[in-house]
Amino acid sequence: MQFLLSSPLSIRKLLCSMISMIAQKANDPAFYVETIVELLFEEGDECEDSTWQTAVSLISEDKNLQSHTIDLTLNLMKKTLRPSEQLMKLTVYVAGEFVAEKEGRIVSFIIARFPLQTPQVQAMMVTAMAKICSRFPTYLIQCQKFLLQCTGSPLTEVSDRAKQYVMMLKEVPIAAHVIMKRMPYDMRE
């Protein structure tokens, strides 16, 4: 990874793709995820969405790897106030989709980091928070408060999504977790 940081800017996107492909060839999902998380931490702005999306597809069937990835990404977030958008996408997606524990830590993370994110990451955060809210009633009030604040966002994608989730959680709170089965990779779907 050291050579990537010192490589010419003109070839970094290509190097990121190559590192991702080589790590995937190792046939070791844990190695791949750790490599990708480090890559996204160091040079995530040079990576395509397919990099974090491939990591998600690899961990989707492995609960231990899901938990490991959540811990790994949240721990990296402590090291920087402004991580790459790609690392944020991976973190928020995995946290919202696969949270089974440490939900309080994830809720706090989303609330604290929300204002600093791009519109697409903010939209992902709204979805992640709605999923957490629907699965963990303990956080219902805190999550609903967050979602209500997001309904006032000047970003249409964020405010519309928040409005939908607020209505869904209000009208069918018991069935909301069934309705929100899987977060889409492309949050503009």
Side-chain angles (χ1 to χ4, degrees):
M1 214 60 81
Q2 292 298 329
F3 66 93
L4 181 61
L5 299 174
S6 61
S7 66
L9 291 174
S10 60
I11 65 167
R12 287 190 184 175
K13 281 198 185 295
L14 176 62
L15 287 173
C16 287
S17 294
M18 291 176 68
I19 289 168
S20 177
M21 287 188 313
I22 291 168
Q24 193 172 7
K25 299 263 185 223
N27 285 331
D28 179 351
F31 172 78
Y32 178 76
V33 167
E34 289 171 5
T35 302
I36 294 308
V37 168
E38 183 180 345
L39 177 64
L40 295 177
F41 180 72
E42 296 294 340
E43 287 295 321
D45 292 331
E46 301 299 328
C47 296
E48 302 292 330
D49 276 348
S50 61
T51 304
W52 71 266
Q53 291 168 349
T54 301
V56 167
S57 68
L58 283 173
I59 68 169
S60 65
E61 301 300 321
D62 186 337
K63 292 206 181 295
N64 291 329
L65 198 51
Q66 293 165 8
S67 180
H68 175 67
T69 305
I70 291 170
D71 287 340
L72 189 62
T73 57
L74 288 177
N75 288 337
L76 277 177
M77 293 300 159
K78 293 177 186 175
K79 294 182 179 181
T80 181
L81 187 58
R82 291 224 182 249
S84 71
E85 180 177 13
Q86 302 304 324
L87 181 59
M88 284 300 300
K89 288 177 180 179
L90 175 65
T91 304
V92 172
Y93 185 93
V94 172
E97 190 63 40
F98 303 120
V99 62
E101 55 187 39
K102 301 179 184 115
E103 56 277 356
R105 183 175 175 204
I106 293 168
V107 167
S108 297
F109 163 76
I110 290 173
I111 291 170
R113 293 294 180 97
F114 183 82
L116 305 171
Q117 303 312 311
T118 64
Q120 191 173 18
V121 173
Q122 285 185 346
M124 290 177 75
M125 289 174 141
V126 166
T127 299
M129 192 67 94
K131 289 185 76 87
I132 292 167
C133 182
S134 70
R135 285 185 273 166
F136 299 97
T138 308
Y139 296 94
L140 184 64
I141 294 170
Q142 191 175 8
C143 291
Q144 285 178 324
K145 182 179 174 186
F146 171 82
L147 292 171
L148 280 171
Q149 288 174 337
C150 292
T151 62
S153 172
L155 303 168
T156 305
E157 184 176 356
V158 173
S159 63
D160 287 351
R161 188 178 303 258
K163 289 172 189 173
Q164 290 171 350
Y165 290 133
V166 165
M167 184 185 309
M168 184 186 310
L169 291 165
K170 183 178 177 184
E171 298 297 323
V172 286
I174 296 170
H177 70 282
V178 175
I179 296 168
M180 293 186 272
K181 283 243 184 217
R182 182 98 176 169
M183 288 174 63
Y185 290 137
D186 181 354
M187 296 306 288
R188 292 170 280 178
E189 292 180 343

